[in-house]
């Protein structure tokens, strides 16, 4: 009998069935091991956002997967140096009880130029990733004002324009961001030097951590679970209360550039044409030595790596710049400390991305204080700091 055209031999049907089965299996395999659409980018596990793209205003919360089990004093975090100095004007009033008052009163404008170390407000600095705030307050004219050395900035506790209220709102709105406030005061004899700390404690309320319940070695997760995202460090030693952490809970491990050079050192640097790179090298050398040093007794303290410049030996150069002011932009003439910082900061970024990522150094990284925190493109310095938290061996 002649086979109909739609009849198929058994062996042909078997081949086609086998081919169909293979195709089906391959389709299932693709779904199991690679079935995501081609355009879908892989995502980081929850709480492990990449430092390169994280929102700096909430980086701790977004990176909690790296931080939850880490002691707070082993989390790499940016900090701002002389945080309140951003509001010092070009021709400032002076804090008469400030340590540099007698020098500053000779030329307040020159003093302001080497005292202003930040370009954004305190909440700007917090939004830019700072989790350590170096807050210095002077009592002058019946009010507490921010200051650095002697030049003063704005009134701090004023309800209309003071920064205290805006910082409190920021802290309330960011419960996953733990901020260490180091508070130091300067005031005439007879002033209640406990007042600033007490007012800050009252302002932040239940968010203030007590040193009897938590410590620098308590984990980030412990702070967040307890609802405590403010640490008040009493750097002036004025208050003996559990909510006022002792000044010795913080150590710079020798990383702070030496200050108060002699007039001979200043003149010598002037006649030698001392370039800024010499003070940059001093900072970077001190930083590297501090990172390499065994913490010893400091293992239980916060570690502040002072990645800042000490501009005192540059005073003669700044004096000449002010004499020749028409030939220099205001960014150099009136903001000399930040001008110097903007030469140092790119070198700090390079160190953070290379030498300081070595396991022995990165292991010790904690707070890195920075001048002109907001002056870096896309926050690259802050991101280089917080990226240390993602290195192998950092998470517990």
């Amino acid at each position: 009998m002649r086979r109909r055209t739609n009849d198929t031999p058994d062996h042909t049907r078997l081949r086609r069935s086998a081919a169909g089965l293979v195709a089906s299996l391959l389709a299932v395999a693709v779904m199991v091991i690679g079935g995501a659409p081609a355009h879908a980018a892989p995502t980081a596990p929850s709480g492990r956002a990449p430092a390169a793209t994280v929102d700096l205003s909430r980086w701790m919360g977004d990176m909690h997967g790296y931080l939850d089990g880490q002691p707070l004093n082993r989390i790499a975090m940016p900090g701002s140096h002389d945080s309140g100095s951003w509001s010092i004007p070009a021709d400032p009033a002076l804090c008469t009880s400030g340590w540099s008052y007698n020098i500053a009163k000779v030329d307040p404008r020159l003093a302001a130029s080497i005292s202003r170390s930040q370009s954004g407000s305190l909440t700007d600095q917090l939004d830019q990733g700072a989790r350590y705030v170096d807050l210095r307050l002077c009592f002058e004219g019946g009010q507490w004002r921010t200051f650095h050395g002697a030049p003063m900035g704005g009134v701090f506790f004023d309800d209309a324009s003071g920064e205290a209220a805006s910082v409190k709102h920021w802290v309330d709105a960011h419960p996953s961001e733990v901020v260490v406030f180091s508070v130091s005061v300067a005031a005439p004899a007879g002033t209640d030097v406990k007042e600033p700390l007490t007012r800050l404690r009252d302002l932040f309320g239940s968010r203030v951590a007590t040193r009897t319940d938590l410590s620098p070695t308590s984990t980030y997760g412990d702070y967040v679970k307890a609802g405590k995202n403010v640490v008040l460090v009493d750097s002036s030693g004025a208050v003996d209360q559990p909510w006022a952490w002792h000044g010795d809970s913080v150590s710079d491990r020798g990383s702070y550039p030496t200050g108060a050079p002699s007039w001979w050192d200043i003149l010598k640097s002037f006649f030698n044409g001392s370039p800024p790179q010499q003070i940059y090298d001093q900072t970077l050398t001190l930083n590297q030595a501090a990172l390499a040093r065994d913490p010893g007794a400091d293992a239980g303290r916060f570690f502040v790596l002072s990645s800042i410049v000490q501009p005192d030996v540059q005073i003669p150069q700044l004096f000449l710049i002010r004499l020749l002011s028409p030939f220099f932009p205001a960014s150099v003439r009136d903001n000399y400390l930040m001008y110097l910082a903007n030469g140092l900061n790119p070198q700090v970024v390079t160190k953070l991305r290379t030498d300081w990522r070595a396991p022995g150094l990165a292991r010790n990284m904690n707070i890195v204080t920075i001048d002109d925190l907001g002056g870096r493109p896309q926050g690259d310095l802050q991101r280089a700091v917080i990226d240390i938290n993602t290195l192998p061996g950092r998470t517990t």
Side-chain angles (χ1 to χ4, degrees):
M1 179 183 295
R2 185 176 179 180
R3 182 182 296 120
R4 291 180 305 208
T5 55
N6 60 350
D7 286 342
T8 304
D10 291 343
H11 64 276
T12 302
R13 286 198 299 272
L14 286 171
R15 283 201 302 270
R16 290 180 178 174
S17 297
L21 179 61
V22 170
S24 299
L25 290 172
L26 285 173
V28 171
V30 168
M31 291 177 64
V32 172
I33 65 174
H39 63 273
T43 58
S46 176
R48 288 180 177 261
T53 59
V54 73
D55 182 341
L56 290 174
S57 71
R58 61 184 192 197
W59 67 266
M60 282 184 154
D62 287 352
M63 298 179 70
H64 72 86
Y66 292 110
L67 310 180
D68 279 348
Q70 281 287 83
L72 196 62
N73 71 345
R74 288 199 58 208
I75 292 175
M77 64 179 83
S80 61
H81 172 240
D82 277 298
S83 311
S85 65
W86 72 274
S87 61
I88 294 174
D91 193 5
L94 300 179
C95 173
T96 55
S97 53
W99 66 269
S100 66
Y101 172 71
N102 289 330
I103 298 173
K105 68 182 181 181
V106 176
D107 189 339
R109 295 181 69 89
L110 185 147
S113 186
I114 57 173
S115 295
R116 192 183 306 103
S117 63
Q118 300 297 334
S119 56
S121 69
L122 294 182
T123 52
D124 287 340
Q125 294 166 41
L126 293 167
D127 279 337
Q128 291 156 1
R131 297 298 176 265
Y132 175 88
V133 174
D134 175 17
L135 182 60
R136 307 186 189 195
L137 298 173
C138 169
F139 191 73
E140 191 75 28
Q143 295 176 308
W144 290 100
R145 309 177 74 98
T146 55
F147 86 111
H148 180 192
M152 295 191 300
V155 177
F156 186 67
F157 290 108
D158 181 68
D159 291 338
S161 59
E163 286 195 277
S166 62
V167 172
K168 181 258 194 303
H169 292 321
W170 193 97
V171 165
D172 286 345
H174 297 79
S176 64
E177 308 304 300
V178 181
V179 185
V180 179
F181 292 88
S182 176
V183 184
S184 56
V185 299
T191 304
D192 180 7
V193 292
K194 299 179 181 180
E195 183 185 356
L197 266 295
T198 303
R199 292 181 71 169
L200 285 170
R201 188 279 314 269
D202 293 343
L203 191 72
F204 294 127
S206 64
R207 295 194 176 278
V208 177
T210 58
R211 52 184 164 80
T212 50
D213 295 324
L214 294 164
S215 74
T217 59
S218 298
T219 67
Y220 164 78
D222 290 337
Y223 282 85
V224 174
K225 288 175 186 174
K228 308 294 185 181
N229 64 327
V230 171
V231 174
L232 292 177
V233 177
D234 177 17
S235 296
S236 296
V239 180
D240 186 18
Q241 294 290 336
W243 50 265
W245 295 43
H246 295 149
D248 64 5
S249 62
V250 179
S251 170
D252 63 30
R253 298 187 196 170
S255 67
Y256 200 97
T258 55
S262 68
W263 280 108
W264 169 246
D265 291 332
I266 293 174
L267 289 173
K268 184 170 63 174
S269 71
F270 173 63
F271 287 111
N272 290 342
S274 176
Q277 188 58 45
Q278 291 186 8
I279 59 174
Y280 300 159
D281 289 342
Q282 178 199 32
T283 295
L284 297 173
T285 299
L286 290 173
N287 281 187
Q288 183 133 347
L291 286 170
R293 190 171 294 119
D294 188 305
D298 286 342
R301 300 170 176 150
F302 293 112
F303 168 33
V304 175
L305 186 74
S306 296
S307 295
I308 59 174
V309 297
Q310 173 51 261
D312 288 4
V313 294
Q314 294 284 306
I315 289 175
Q317 283 87 339
L318 174 57
F319 181 72
L320 279 181
I321 288 170
R322 294 202 60 78
L323 286 178
L324 303 172
S325 58
F327 302 98
F328 290 90
S331 59
V332 176
R333 182 185 67 243
D334 296 334
N335 295 282
Y336 195 63
L337 178 53
M338 285 196 289
Y339 162 73
L340 293 176
N342 290 329
L344 171 66
N345 288 347
Q347 298 182 46
V348 175
V349 173
T350 298
K351 285 290 188 180
L352 286 162
R353 289 176 173 169
T354 55
D355 296 352
W356 296 349
R357 290 176 70 88
L361 303 184
R363 182 178 59 248
N364 291 332
M365 191 76 71
N366 185 205
I367 297 161
V368 182
T369 53
I370 301 162
D371 285 328
D372 198 13
L373 184 81
R376 297 300 306 159
Q378 289 78 51
D380 65 345
L381 202 164
Q382 302 95 296
R383 295 181 191 281
V385 172
I386 64 177
D387 188 53
I388 298 291
N389 296 301
T390 71
L391 296 179
R394 289 285 297 188
T395 55
T396 56

